[in-house]
Amino acid sequence: MAGQRSRLPFSPWHLVLIPAAIILLFPFAWLLVTSIETPAEALHFPPILTPHVIRLRNYPDALAAAPFGRFFLNSAIVAVTTVICNLVLCALAGYAFARFRFLGRGVLFVLIMTTLMVPFQVTMIPQFIITKWIGVHLLAAAGIGHIGALIVPNAATAFGVFFLRQFFRTLPIEYEEAARVDGASRLAVLWRIVLPLSAPALATLAALTFLDSWNSFLWPLIAINSTSAMTLPLGLATFQGAHSTEWTLLMAGNVMSLAPMMAIFLVAQRYFVRSVAATGLTGT
Amino acid sequence: MTASLVTPGGAGQGAGTAAPAADRPRRGTRRGRAPRSSAGPQSLAGWAFVTPASVIIGLFGAAPIVWSLVISFQQNNLSASTPFVGLHNYRALLHDPAVAQAAGNTLVYTALFVPGTMAVGLFLAVAMNRNLRFMWFYRTAAYATMAISTISEALVFIWLFDPSYGIVNYLFSLVGIPQQQFLNSPSEALYVVVTMTIWGWSGFAVVIYLAALQGIPQDLIEAAAVDGAGRWSTFRKVTLPLLSPASLFLAVWLTINALQLFDEVYLSTQGGPLGATTVLVYYLYQQAFENFNFGYASAIAYLLFLIILVVTAIQFRVGRRFTYYRS
Amino acid sequence: MVTYRLRGVAAGLLAVPTAATLAVSVLAVSVLAVSVLAGCGSGSGGSGNGKSIQLWEGYTGAEAKAFSHLVAVYDKAHPGVTVSTLFVNNDNSLQKVLTAVRGGTAPDIAYLYGSWAPNVAQIPQVVNLTGVVSRPGVNWTDFWVGERDVATVNGKVIGIPALVDNLAVVYNKTLFAKAHLQPPGPNWTWPQFVADARALTNPAIKQFGTAYVTPGSEDTVWHWEALLWAAGGQILNASGTKAAFDSPAGLTSLNTLRAMAVTSHSMYLDPTDSAYANLFNSGKIGMLVTGPWDLSAFPAVHYGVQIMPAFPGTSGGHQTISGPDNWVIFNNGASKVKTAEDFLLWLTAPAQVKYFSLATGDLPTRRSVAQASGFQAQMNAALPGVSTFIANLANVRQARPQIPTYPQISQAIGTMVVAVLLNKAQPAAALAQAAAKVNQILAGSGSGG
């Protein structure tokens, strides 16, 4: 069974996956239902899951409440750029950590990992000051108040380096060695041999990095000082007041914010299934 | 490539030629790491490759950490004077019962969350790693748990676990389990948070394991079947070891995140009841942004940093003995 | 054989574009990104122009609309002056403000919770407004005493009141009628509240008489403090050096809560501070002690509002507690400070206060506006029940201690209240323990040094 590709519609695995999917999607269902309710029905506890009145106008109302088109664009620019930068920089670094021996490799990797170990609440003030300095002395577009400030600190993450390092180490080294014997440069080996074999990992990293960037709230809150540079989570926060929250609009906004992430994932999925077998590695 | 090349403890080498099997490092030794004096083209290439990422991570990650270390030696509350108080903050935190409670909560939480999430993620990934119809739907469902905002997740779980109106107590009443107080009970609240966060992170574990499962060539599984191994035996002896790098990665990453839990606590119980869900990051947040004690908060962050460092190091050490790399 | 096949595969893969293409594409992406970025997003609002100020606020919905209208009016009436606003959630604004202050890019004006005032006052860049508010025409005493107390720290005025509220009882008229209970009258007492709560509780239909939030945060604490004051007690002694709530009044107040939460189970305990309002709106709770901000969250309920009960035989009366918030000015240069002051004085002048209150349902921050004829009726027409809250402002007699260690004191008190509500401690013991902790904090040996 493990090696078979089952096309039977009644595979027993569905009996496991359907309840699992219900549990996984339940909050999403609640989110959706709340987004099409009227405030009178949304402000219920326990929540009403079968509303009597449907209000689709929540969606255009949410969009009109703040310049969401702008927020969406900002979020998209930041997320896409962050993903591309991460894929490139983390692949380079991850590959070096996985395959090269160089002086200080171990120490550097440990240092990179340690940056994951201090919570943001503590590092955000120094990070703010550093970002401000960069904006003043190096590149204005990367300084406080610009969306570059949201990209540059996250252009390479310890997560990406760690993840790709682990993945690259699982690849059989023979291909890379064969290519080196053929005279390919290390960069060529990475670009032409390793990365194509790493499609699932790269797709995973892209999807996760996109998610992280798209949903990022606290750093953009700290770094952005004008409405025109706000990202989507900051925009959604405009529905949350000190004492009262416009739940229906907020949930509508959340659903619209989820859509691109789900779209990215649906696209990335096709790369998840590209198995090593497809590239002819099942040698004799 | 046969299963016999799967040697425990082996590591990828950047050498130009494949080392014969006899020269592969033995299990338990330092994995083929060159003696420190390796300079030359490999070193140059290595540093060239890692520099861009390291500069960014270093600048925005390492520098703030050093900065915060300095602050932890000050009595810092944003007034004009930030006097240097040496180890006072550290001494205070050693005597603070709230820190001990928070540390305990954090460790208990982590010990439950990490294995729980890995188990759930592995189970679902194995279930989803097949070519059934609607597989894209199930995988998307897993990813959706990561995409959904934390506040939505928190609100739904608060509702599910409400002692009076929640579904869980209702289900309990159907099967005769007594009604629980959940988030109103200092002894149960942390487990509710564990459940909520396992739900929230299982999608991540599924995605990681799915990527790793894709890297397992079918011929290895088939070879095991040909050798007469049953499905569970194949899973235990072939699949799991081949997944061990992903498992190590997940264990390390989930642990690092679990020890720094904050958002779910902030959005649901706010550390209560009676400190039962106060974890270290929440406690230091309170110190920094409610009590205005930044120096103390930084000191707590460093305590946490030490805990994470030690736990991660242990994980890597232990992981080294159990992870199999196929090269 | 394997090697040969591998090399064949490798050679095949090598047919993919060269490393040069990789480098070029990375370069192209970065150039593109940077040029896009340079065009997008404006600067940090703090330009050299002294007449252009930045203001951070957390207004949503109706408040946001009313506020931006006022800003537009001001900008139009004062050519050359620009007030640019930035939305920052009130809950998160402290983190953003503190980071900005440390980073040297503080806003000119920020909306800050009153509970932060004693600590915010210690920030060097916060402007001392004592002289400003005593200018002729400002009428500082026109602001409610609760607001003035919260805007003043150690005799120094550091903010201008932005918001005022108070706690009163919102009750479900339908549920009262169903239970054949007299709706609360203005002279009612806490024992009556407890009795009503018990009568309104019906476990069979999961209906509770009242609710209380139990995360142990300030929300938990200030509800109890209102009871403490009503019972004639004080939080700290007159000089602020020792806890004073460990008293008969403290015991009475805790016992009142205990009677409902533990004895008669008539109190829904909300550990997350999120469900109680929706429960009330769903008709599952009889009475809530809450503020005017919640009135618009009850569209499905026929509600009434009554002032807080009193404890018979004490001097507390129908006292309530208020949670005002402040506009705080940060010093970014003399001309920006002047622009900010002018704007705030205009914003908090009676005409604008009246406009804002009528447009949003928020309580007026000035007594003259509240007492103007017809005003309360007008407010009540737009938001039923709010006039009771406005009148209730007269019942605000004191404020919480305006000391930097209040947040720590609050945490100790919060633990005490939650322990009693969850029946983990007896009131007398909980009081003693909390008082000891508070004394420790006041003596300067509390956590964090």
Side-chain angles (χ1 to χ4, degrees):
Chain A
M1 182 70 187
Q4 301 288 344
R5 290 186 181 211
S6 171
R7 288 226 156 257
L8 295 172
F10 298 114
S11 160
W13 282 106
H14 282 290
L15 295 177
V16 167
L17 288 171
I18 290 179
I22 292 177
I23 295 176
L24 291 173
L25 285 176
F26 183 71
F28 186 67
W30 169 83
L31 181 69
L32 238 121
V33 169
T34 309
S35 73
I36 52 173
E37 280 180 337
T38 56
E41 286 197 296
L43 295 174
H44 262 257
F45 192 85
I48 294 178
L49 286 180
T50 49
H52 296 121
V53 183
I54 302 237
R55 191 166 189 271
L56 293 172
R57 285 207 56 209
N58 285 333
Y59 283 83
D61 283 352
L63 284 173
F68 274 98
R70 186 71 208 228
F71 301 157
F72 190 94
L73 181 67
N74 289 337
S75 275
I77 293 175
V78 171
V80 169
T81 316
T82 304
V83 167
I84 294 177
C85 287
N86 259 286
L87 286 178
V88 172
L89 298 180
C90 294
L92 287 170
Y95 185 63
F97 281 121
R99 297 300 197 213
F100 301 171
R101 293 178 311 199
F102 54 94
L103 185 63
R105 177 180 80 165
V107 172
L108 186 61
F109 186 71
V110 168
L111 280 179
I112 287 179
M113 290 299 288
T114 60
T115 64
L116 296 170
M117 300 178 188
V118 182
F120 185 67
Q121 282 80 0
V122 163
T123 58
M124 68 185 185
I125 293 180
Q127 184 166 329
F128 180 91
I129 296 175
I130 292 171
T131 306
K132 184 175 172 216
W133 182 91
I134 288 179
V136 167
H137 291 103
L138 286 184
L139 179 65
I144 295 295
H146 298 87
I147 57 179
L150 306 181
I151 298 177
V152 174
N154 298 314
T157 60
F159 171 75
V161 173
F162 179 38
F163 178 65
L164 287 182
R165 170 196 186 254
Q166 293 302 103
F167 186 85
F168 289 152
R169 293 179 77 185
T170 67
L171 295 178
I173 201 175
E174 285 72 19
Y175 295 98
E176 302 160 53
E177 291 167 349
R180 290 280 293 157
V181 162
D182 273 350
S185 73
R186 287 182 226 278
L187 200 56
V189 171
L190 173 64
W191 176 241
R192 299 190 217 162
I193 310 280
V194 176
L195 288 186
L197 294 179
S198 311
L202 292 175
T204 306
L205 182 62
L208 293 175
T209 308
F210 188 90
L211 179 71
D212 225 21
S213 176
W214 193 259
N215 275 347
S216 172
F217 177 71
L218 199 50
W219 174 242
L221 175 82
I222 306 278
I224 295 300
N225 283 334
S226 62
T227 313
S228 59
M230 279 166 106
T231 55
L232 215 37
L234 294 184
L236 290 176
T238 62
F239 294 127
Q240 288 176 283
H243 286 295
S244 65
T245 302
E246 297 170 275
W247 290 109
T248 51
L249 296 180
L250 178 63
M251 293 307 150
N254 266 312
V255 171
M256 290 191 283
S257 175
L258 274 172
M261 287 193 282
M262 304 314 295
I264 300 270
F265 184 72
L266 281 171
V267 167
Q269 277 216 46
R270 23 170 75 217
Y271 295 97
F272 285 173
V273 298
R274 178 169 312 166
S275 74
V276 171
T279 57
L281 276 176
T282 53
T284 49
Chain B
M1 187 168 321
T2 65
S4 65
L5 279 181
V6 178
T7 52
Q13 308 265 351
T17 55
D23 286 351
R24 294 210 185 265
R26 290 187 345 264
R27 183 183 205 185
T29 59
R30 285 181 63 80
R31 264 171 312 174
R33 224 160 263 176
R36 298 271 194 89
S37 57
S38 173
Q42 217 182 101
S43 232
L44 198 61
W47 277 99
F49 275 46
V50 300
T51 298
S54 305
V55 164
I56 291 184
I57 295 172
L59 188 59
F60 293 101
I65 291 177
V66 173
W67 202 302
S68 312
L69 182 65
V70 172
I71 294 182
S72 74
F73 294 120
Q74 298 174 341
Q75 184 177 322
N76 190 317
N77 61 354
L78 290 197
S79 63
S81 60
T82 57
F84 182 74
V85 291
L87 290 175
H88 174 263
N89 287 327
Y90 289 95
R91 259 183 262 123
L93 76 87
L94 285 176
H95 292 113
D96 188 355
V99 170
Q101 185 188 27
N105 288 339
T106 310
L107 292 171
V108 168
Y109 168 80
T110 306
L112 293 172
F113 166 79
V114 175
T117 308
M118 288 174 67
V120 170
L122 181 61
F123 176 73
L124 289 177
V126 166
M128 291 185 197
N129 187 37
R130 46 200 79 234
N131 215 357
L132 301 179
R133 252 200 290 198
F134 302 126
M135 202 46 73
W136 60 269
F137 172 71
Y138 298 124
R139 293 204 191 107
T140 311
Y143 186 71
T145 68
M146 289 193 291
I148 202 170
S149 60
T150 315
I151 183 142
S152 309
E153 169 195 347
L155 285 174
V156 171
F157 273 82
I158 288 169
W159 165 38
L160 291 178
F161 282 91
D162 189 275
S164 307
Y165 305 101
I167 293 181
V168 178
N169 256 351
Y170 173 68
L171 292 174
F172 279 13
S173 70
L174 288 181
V175 294
I177 303 177
Q179 303 283 281
Q180 302 298 318
Q181 288 304 303
F182 294 126
L183 291 174
N184 260 326
S185 158
S187 51
E188 290 173 12
L190 193 62
Y191 302 116
V192 176
V193 176
V194 169
T195 310
M196 170 163 72
T197 48
I198 287 182
W199 177 90
W201 278 89
S202 54
F204 177 81
V206 166
V207 165
I208 299 292
Y209 271 131
L210 272 179
L213 281 169
Q214 291 305 317
I216 296 181
Q218 286 307 301
D219 57 337
L220 280 179
I221 310 288
E222 280 154 14
V226 160
D227 278 349
R231 283 232 308 275
W232 174 244
S233 199
T234 313
F235 181 73
R236 248 185 49 225
K237 302 217 174 109
V238 181
T239 314
L240 270 187
L242 289 174
L243 284 180
S244 54
S247 295
L248 175 65
F249 170 78
L250 258 186
V252 170
W253 183 250
L254 290 176
T255 306
I256 291 178
N257 274 281
L259 291 168
Q260 293 178 71
L261 175 72
F262 177 77
D263 283 335
E264 283 83 351
V265 170
Y266 178 75
L267 289 173
S268 63
T269 57
Q270 291 164 55
L274 299 177
T277 56
T278 300
V279 287
L280 279 171
V281 176
Y282 189 78
Y283 186 64
L284 77 83
Y285 166 83
Q286 281 183 310
Q287 291 304 313
F289 295 107
E290 289 178 17
N291 297 353
F292 291 81
N293 277 328
F294 292 95
Y296 193 55
S298 295
I300 297 173
Y302 269 87
L303 171 70
L304 178 63
F305 171 72
L306 277 172
I307 293 177
I308 300 179
L309 194 59
V310 167
V311 172
T312 308
I314 294 176
Q315 281 178 318
F316 270 116
R317 268 275 123 93
V318 170
R320 213 176 277 183
R321 306 188 113 253
F322 292 106
T323 52
Y324 301 79
Y325 294 101
R326 280 170 60 223
S327 40
Chain C
M1 268 240 291
V2 172
T3 320
Y4 178 80
R5 189 177 244 243
L6 285 173
R7 288 175 65 176
V9 168
L13 286 170
L14 283 170
V16 168
T18 65
T21 318
L22 164 67
V24 167
S25 37
V26 168
L27 202 60
V29 166
S30 18
V31 166
L32 179 67
V34 165
S35 51
V36 166
L37 292 175
C40 296
S42 54
S44 55
S47 59
N49 181 1
K51 294 236 178 267
S52 160
I53 57 173
Q54 206 192 36
L55 183 153
W56 294 355
E57 40 79 8
Y59 288 134
T60 60
E63 288 173 325
K65 285 201 195 83
F67 188 74
S68 55
H69 171 83
L70 285 176
V71 168
V73 164
Y74 187 82
D75 279 353
K76 198 150 168 241
H78 297 83
V81 173
T82 322
V83 178
S84 64
T85 63
L86 178 73
F87 174 84
V88 182
N89 273 105
N90 289 327
D91 284 339
N92 299 121
S93 69
L94 185 67
Q95 291 180 70
K96 187 170 169 66
V97 165
L98 292 180
T99 308
V101 163
R102 283 305 297 276
T105 56
D108 298 296
I109 304 176
Y111 180 109
L112 295 174
Y113 284 156
S115 51
W116 298 331
N119 284 293
V120 164
Q122 295 182 6
I123 299 175
Q125 287 98 316
V126 167
V127 173
N128 183 344
L129 296 170
T130 319
V132 171
V133 300
S134 47
R135 284 186 205 162
V138 175
N139 281 334
W140 182 235
T141 49
D142 191 23
F143 291 102
W144 304 98
V145 64
E147 297 173 303
R148 283 180 275 131
D149 281 347
V150 168
T152 314
V153 179
N154 287 336
K156 200 171 74 162
V157 174
I158 52 103
I160 301 186
L163 178 93
V164 71
D165 55 25
N166 59 68
L167 290 180
V169 177
V170 181
Y171 61 94
N172 188 328
K173 284 186 179 165
T174 318
L175 290 184
F176 264 78
K178 269 203 209 142
H180 307 293
L181 288 172
Q182 277 287 3
N187 290 320
W188 67 324
T189 63
W190 276 107
Q192 276 174 328
F193 183 102
V194 175
D196 285 347
R198 193 170 53 230
L200 288 164
T201 302
N202 187 348
I205 52 172
K206 296 194 204 164
Q207 182 178 301
F208 289 86
T210 185
Y212 203 94
V213 295
T214 58
S217 58
E218 181 61 14
D219 214 6
T220 301
V221 172
W222 83 319
H223 280 86
W224 173 76
E225 282 170 340
L227 263 90
L228 174 71
W229 289 343
Q234 292 294 319
I235 303 172
L236 301 180
N237 64 1
S239 52
T241 52
K242 286 190 67 128
F245 56 84
D246 187 8
S247 61
L251 203 56
T252 310
S253 54
L254 278 183
N255 276 328
T256 309
L257 292 181
R258 183 166 202 277
M260 290 186 279
V262 178
T263 313
S264 59
H265 296 287
S266 56
M267 185 181 256
Y268 173 81
L269 299 177
D270 184 357
T272 61
D273 216 340
S274 64
Y276 73 92
N278 287 349
L279 269 175
F280 184 84
N281 190 46
S282 309
K284 301 245 188 299
I285 296 187
M287 303 179 284
L288 272 184
V289 176
T290 186
W293 61 81
D294 262 344
L295 290 180
S296 53
F298 305 144
V301 166
H302 194 206
Y303 64 81
V305 184
Q306 188 52 263
I307 61 175
M308 299 277 271
F311 282 103
T314 70
S315 55
H318 296 270
Q319 225 182 126
T320 185
I321 189 171
S322 173
D325 296 329
N326 294 321
W327 293 112
V328 178
I329 301 183
F330 292 86
N331 190 344
N332 285 323
S335 70
K336 282 195 189 266
V337 169
K338 170 104 185 27
T339 313
E341 284 167 0
D342 290 344
F343 174 70
L344 280 186
L345 290 179
W346 176 85
L347 183 69
T348 55
Q352 281 66 253
V353 167
K354 179 175 174 191
Y355 165 79
F356 194 76
S357 280
L358 286 172
T360 61
D362 287 349
L363 305 187
T365 51
R366 281 179 176 273
R367 199 174 331 126
S368 59
V369 174
Q371 290 168 350
S373 83
F375 176 78
Q376 293 196 21
Q378 234 180 326
M379 289 283 279
N380 224 28
L383 186 62
V386 75
S387 57
T388 312
F389 280 103
I390 299 176
N392 204 19
L393 283 168
N395 278 322
V396 178
R397 297 194 212 155
Q398 53 187 313
R400 289 163 279 186
Q402 285 282 88
I403 51 178
T405 48
Y406 178 76
Q408 298 178 50
I409 294 173
S410 162
Q411 281 156 17
I413 295 179
T415 306
M416 169 186 83
V417 173
V418 173
V420 169
L421 289 174
L422 294 182
N423 201 18
K424 301 287 178 199
Q426 293 296 317
L431 277 169
Q433 202 178 19
K437 184 105 202 358
V438 168
N439 287 335
Q440 223 183 359
I441 294 168
L442 290 170
S445 55
S447 66

